[in-house]
């Protein structure tokens, strides 16, 4: 997608769709975003194992944190060594509340 210069268009197409993401709908999204489908499919195949590894790692974290829905917000220092440098909020929150959470973590 990005190699075709249309990452944002593709992203917005997927995010604004009311259709669930699936192996078949992803190709419709790519077509609607104006991507070359042959190059898109080549990209899917070449990054398949890397993406699957990333998804597996993310699923481990999600299960460990008991995240069961979206949105969920996790704010932490990149080098967090204690729970005081980490906050988790399940559910929708205002931008003001998110900024406060970020500020709190930065000060820790």
């Amino acid at each position: 997608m990005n190699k075709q210069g249309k990452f944002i268009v593709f992203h917005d197409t997927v995010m604004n769709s009311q259709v669930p993401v699936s192996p078949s709908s992803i190709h419709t999204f790519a077509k609607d975003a104006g991507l070359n489908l042959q190059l898109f499919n080549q990209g899917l195949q070449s990054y398949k194992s890397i993406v699957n590894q990333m998804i597996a790692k993310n699923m481990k974290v999600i299960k460990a944190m008991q995240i069961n829905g979206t949105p969920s917000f996790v704010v932490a220092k990149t080098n967090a060594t204690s729970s005081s440098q980490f906050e988790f909020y399940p559910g929708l929150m205002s931008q003001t509340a998110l900024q406060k959470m970020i500020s709190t973590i930065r000060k820790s």
Side-chain angles (χ1 to χ4, degrees):
M1 293 163 292
N2 203 37
K3 287 184 179 183
Q4 295 186 47
K6 299 195 177 194
F7 175 79
I8 297 297
V9 176
F10 178 78
H11 174 271
D12 290 349
T13 301
V14 173
M15 296 307 287
N16 292 323
S17 175
Q18 297 301 310
V19 177
V21 176
S22 69
S24 60
S25 68
I26 202 78
H27 288 93
T28 301
F29 299 143
K31 184 178 177 185
D32 291 348
L35 291 167
N36 174 311
L37 294 181
Q38 183 177 356
L39 292 175
F40 178 76
N41 287 325
Q42 288 172 357
L44 286 179
Q45 288 305 310
S46 65
Y47 291 103
K48 186 176 184 175
S49 66
I50 294 168
V51 170
N52 285 339
Q53 289 173 15
M54 289 172 61
I55 291 170
K57 286 179 183 179
N58 287 337
M59 291 304 292
K60 269 181 99 168
V61 171
I62 288 166
K63 286 180 181 181
M65 294 180 67
Q66 298 178 347
I67 296 173
N68 58 12
T70 59
S72 295
F73 294 89
V74 177
V75 177
K77 290 190 173 190
T78 55
N79 59 349
T81 57
S82 71
S83 61
S84 67
Q85 297 174 315
F86 174 94
E87 279 202 46
F88 168 67
Y89 186 86
L92 187 62
M93 69 187 318
S94 69
Q95 182 176 351
T96 303
L98 179 59
Q99 281 301 139
K100 184 178 178 183
M101 195 162 92
I102 292 167
S103 294
T104 300
I105 292 298
R106 282 185 176 160
K107 291 175 188 173
S108 66

